[in-house]
Amino acid sequence: MSKSLLIVESPTKAKTLGRYLGKDFIVKASVGHVKDLPKNKLGINLEQGFEPEYQIIRGKKKVLTELHSAAVAADAVYLGPDPDREGEAIAWHIAEEIHAKNKPIYRVLFYELTQKAIQEALSHPQQLNKSLYEAQQARRILDRLVGYLISPILWEKVKRGLSAGRVQSVALRLICNREREIQKFDPEEYWTIEAQVIGAPGEADKAPPRSFVSH
């Protein structure tokens, strides 16, 4: 009898879902991300539109082998990592690596682990969300560019071991630029004097007030 394969991130969640779903599903866990940028180099092709160079995370080949075997035996694959951009990236990378040819691959979003919520998610499967995956990928690339290209400057100028962040680094740049503008400002005293001049009867009401600026 064929079964469907459901892949989630956490082994604990996999056990819980397995109890709810029974014999119709095989539930496996990826234990988080399965692919990432390499640790020993930048891993981003700056000459080719910042294309990332992903590789399988150390220790995850065995996990992917198990997921592939389960996908081959299943009649459909459901990807259920967390419903956020990190979860979408995990789902996308799993789909790339399990090589489930000619098998339908669905994305399911679990917002709570109740019988009703689980059945609702499985009854309305979706396709992988490329926009959400690419949002995570952009964040990851920025992390790597800032971390690998700016952190060494901190080691040299401030303290060894410090790490630059993609948000803090940009915020610091904005603050520094603003502070330079403040320092370059040349204060100059000036006065604004307003006077209403009374002339012939009726003329004062017709003439608008005039401002005189004196430096």
Side-chain angles (χ1 to χ4, degrees):
M1 180 179 177
S2 61
K3 298 182 179 182
S4 295
L5 171 64
L6 172 60
I7 303 173
V8 294
E9 293 181 50
S10 164
T12 302
K13 183 181 289 186
K15 291 180 181 179
T16 301
L17 288 165
R19 290 197 299 268
Y20 278 121
L21 297 175
K23 61 182 181 180
D24 293 332
F25 276 85
I26 300 170
V27 186
K28 297 283 186 179
S30 69
V31 196
H33 283 273
V34 296
K35 293 171 69 175
D36 197 7
L37 300 173
K39 290 186 176 182
N40 58 351
K41 62 178 181 177
L42 184 62
I44 299 167
N45 193 330
L46 301 180
E47 305 299 326
Q48 296 293 329
F50 299 94
E51 182 179 355
E53 303 172 18
Y54 287 111
Q55 62 181 210
I56 296 173
I57 296 173
R58 185 177 180 180
K60 289 301 180 75
K61 286 187 177 180
K62 181 179 179 181
V63 173
L64 287 171
T65 298
E66 293 178 356
L67 295 179
H68 169 69
S69 298
V72 169
D75 58 352
V77 178
Y78 293 82
L79 302 173
D82 292 346
D84 54 24
R85 63 186 182 186
E86 290 294 326
E88 203 68 27
I90 293 172
W92 201 281
H93 289 157
I94 290 172
E96 289 180 333
E97 293 299 323
I98 60 175
H99 307 297
K101 295 182 180 179
N102 302 321
K103 300 288 179 70
I105 298 180
Y106 303 108
R107 178 75 165 106
V108 287
L109 305 175
F110 299 117
Y111 294 99
E112 58 183 60
L113 292 184
T114 62
Q115 185 75 42
K116 180 180 179 180
I118 294 168
Q119 293 298 337
E120 178 69 17
L122 292 171
S123 299
H124 298 88
Q126 305 176 18
Q127 298 300 312
L128 287 164
N129 188 329
K130 186 176 182 180
S131 295
L132 200 59
Y133 160 65
E134 289 184 341
Q136 189 277 342
Q137 181 170 258
R139 183 202 63 78
R140 188 70 187 96
I141 291 173
L142 284 173
D143 274 341
R144 177 56 60 92
L145 290 174
V146 172
Y148 275 51
L149 301 181
I150 299 181
S151 293
I153 300 175
L154 293 180
W155 303 342
E156 179 183 350
K157 302 295 184 181
V158 184
K159 182 181 178 182
R160 186 76 183 178
L162 293 177
S163 179
R166 73 181 188 282
V167 176
Q168 299 94 324
S169 299
V170 176
L172 181 59
R173 175 62 182 271
L174 293 173
I175 292 171
C176 290
N177 288 346
R178 182 58 176 162
E179 182 62 25
R180 292 190 184 103
E181 291 179 4
I182 293 172
Q183 291 173 353
K184 289 192 300 182
F185 177 72
D186 187 12
E188 182 179 351
E189 183 177 359
Y190 70 92
W191 298 84
T192 301
I193 301 175
E194 294 185 1
Q196 190 172 36
V197 181
I198 300 176
E203 291 184 358
D205 296 332
K206 297 178 182 179
R210 295 183 179 181
S211 295
F212 303 89
V213 178
S214 175
H215 295 277

